[in-house]
Structures are given as structure tokens and as C-alpha cells.
Amino acid sequence: MDQETFSAGRRRGAGVTGEAIDRMRELIASGEWGPGTRLPREADLAKQLGLSRNSLREAVRALSLARVLEVRQGDGTFVSSLEAEELLAPALSATHLLRGRTVLELFQVRRMLEPEAAAMAATRSDAGVIAALGRELERMHLAGDRADELVEADAAFHDVIAGAPGNGVLQALLRSLSTRTVRARLWHGLADRDALDLARQEHARIYEAIAAGDADLARAATLVHIAHNETWLREHLGPADDVPLDGA
């Protein structure tokens, strides 16, 4: 078999697999297969969809990687929970591959979303959320000059805020953005020790605003905090540079 014939065969195979994926997605989107539904036996499903078993297996594998399906060894294949965080995770996980000044774009998106999340948190947070924010703020103070510990508590603090509005899509987006900017925040903390004290002060203002139920103040305090980090990074990251701290 020559290379051209082999390539054509691969394209046809990919097309059939794509068709299988589309058909299975339609069954889920229509509600015929809901969260937790156990799929029919492989032979029966292949017959139902008019597919070869190989194409069906490839489609199941692809949808499993996308967290649409869940393969349970010895038990069968099931539709996943279809929760926003699960479905968005595969795509958002690729943000850690972004290089150089693209990290500034992540901060810009955080600047668009997080102030509103903080404002919603100020109006919707219960005692449990306020207590969780207080614990993470305390961890930031206990970290002292240990930038890695402070940034870890910083990320957890923002994750609490992201979860407070009760919007799974928003939380998944903000969790990914926050996680992928940890490296830049750690660099900032190590390069400028005054940044650690400033971070504690800024987070204290956000905490106080949310605890007081002041949406406007929470929005403003969060905007100032994110913009400060973004500005520092813009000033210190060259056009062709990547954030240092390999392995951080």
C-alpha cells in the first residue's frame, strides 16, 4: 500500500469516527441519553448506529477523553455527570501550554471575570464561604516570606470566591485561569518581596468587602488586585520572554 492510499484510508477512518461521535452527542443532547445512562452493549449500539465496532470504539475513546462518557472496567460505559467543570476541564487544561506574554491575556480575562464573581460573592456568600475565605487569608499571613505557600493560599482564596456564585461554568473558567497564572504570581513574589505584603493587604480588602456584603467594593478591590499583578508582569516580561521558574 502506497503512502497516498494509506493517508486516504486514515482520512476515511477519521471521518467515520467523527460521524459516530456526532451521532452519540446527538443522543445525549436530545436527552435520550441522560447523565448516568448506561450505553447499550457494543454490538447492539454499533448495529443501532450503523457503525463498525472499531469506529464505535474510537468514538467512545474520544468521548471518554472529553469526559462526556465514562468507561467503568467490567461494568460498561456510561454518560458522565455532564457537569460544567467536567466537560470544560479537557479544553481548559491546555492553558498551561500557553507561553510567553500570552499569560498577560490570561490576566486580562481574569480582570474581566473575577471582579464580577467577587461582587456576586458579596451578595450570595453564607457564613461557610466567609469562614473559608478567612482561613485562606490566615494561611497567607502564616506563610510569611514563603512565596510558594502564600501563592497556594492565594489560589485557594480565589477558588472560594469563584464557587460562591453557584455558577459551575464560571467556577471552571476561573479555576483554570487562576491555576495557570500561579507561576507568574510566584515569580512576582520571589522577585519583589514587598509584593507578598501587598498581596496580603489586597486580599484582606477583598475579604472585608465580601464579608460586609458590599458588592461594589468587592468588585473594585478585586479589580485593583488583578490589575496590579498584570501591570507588574507587563513591565517585567519581555516580548520574547517566558515566565521563569522552570518546574514552579
Side-chain angles (χ1 to χ4, degrees):
M1 180 184 296
D2 59 29
Q3 183 63 38
E4 183 175 346
T5 302
F6 177 73
S7 297
R10 290 191 64 180
R11 286 195 296 272
R12 283 195 298 273
V16 172
T17 299
E19 183 181 347
I21 291 171
D22 288 342
R23 290 186 187 180
M24 295 171 77
R25 280 177 170 165
E26 287 171 7
L27 289 168
I28 294 170
S30 70
E32 186 170 341
W33 289 354
T37 297
R38 189 179 191 276
L39 272 60
R41 291 172 52 250
E42 183 182 90
D44 295 336
L45 184 56
K47 183 177 181 180
Q48 176 187 336
L49 299 179
L51 300 167
S52 71
R53 293 173 72 164
N54 282 339
S55 294
L56 179 61
R57 288 185 195 121
E58 289 298 321
V60 168
R61 185 176 296 112
L63 290 173
S64 297
L65 290 172
R67 301 192 183 183
V68 174
L69 297 179
E70 179 184 350
V71 178
R72 301 176 190 170
Q73 196 66 33
D75 196 18
T77 301
F78 297 78
V79 178
S80 74
S81 66
L82 301 180
E83 293 289 339
E85 186 172 356
E86 282 292 308
L87 295 180
L88 290 172
L92 294 176
S93 66
T95 56
H96 76 282
L97 300 175
L98 298 175
R99 312 299 292 176
R101 290 177 69 85
T102 307
V103 69
L104 290 169
E105 297 181 15
L106 297 180
F107 271 99
Q108 289 169 3
V109 178
R110 284 187 66 198
R111 181 157 43 85
M112 296 175 199
L113 297 178
E114 285 199 42
E116 291 307 315
M120 286 193 288
T123 60
R124 302 184 186 183
S125 293
D126 56 20
V129 171
I130 302 303
L133 289 173
R135 285 193 297 272
E136 299 307 334
L137 183 60
E138 180 64 18
R139 285 178 61 201
M140 294 180 70
H141 283 286
L142 293 175
D145 290 335
R146 297 182 295 278
D148 56 339
E149 294 182 19
L150 186 144
V151 170
E152 181 182 336
D154 177 337
F157 182 95
H158 287 281
D159 192 50
V160 173
I161 293 175
N167 184 314
V169 174
L170 179 63
Q171 184 174 18
L173 289 171
L174 290 180
R175 179 173 290 168
S176 177
L177 292 169
S178 178
T179 300
R180 304 313 170 194
T181 56
V182 161
R183 181 180 165 111
R185 285 180 279 167
L186 180 56
W187 177 37
H188 187 182
L190 291 173
D192 180 4
R193 288 295 173 172
D194 290 339
L196 301 181
D197 287 333
L198 180 59
R200 282 185 273 262
Q201 294 168 16
E202 290 174 346
H203 283 81
R205 294 188 190 105
I206 296 170
Y207 168 79
E208 290 164 3
I210 292 175
D214 191 327
D216 290 336
L217 188 57
R219 181 186 294 111
T222 303
L223 178 60
V224 168
H225 167 59
I226 295 171
H228 173 255
N229 280 286
E230 181 187 340
T231 299
W232 185 92
L233 192 61
R234 193 179 298 279
E235 292 172 350
H236 290 80
L237 193 63
D241 293 342
D242 191 16
V243 175
L245 302 173
D246 288 338

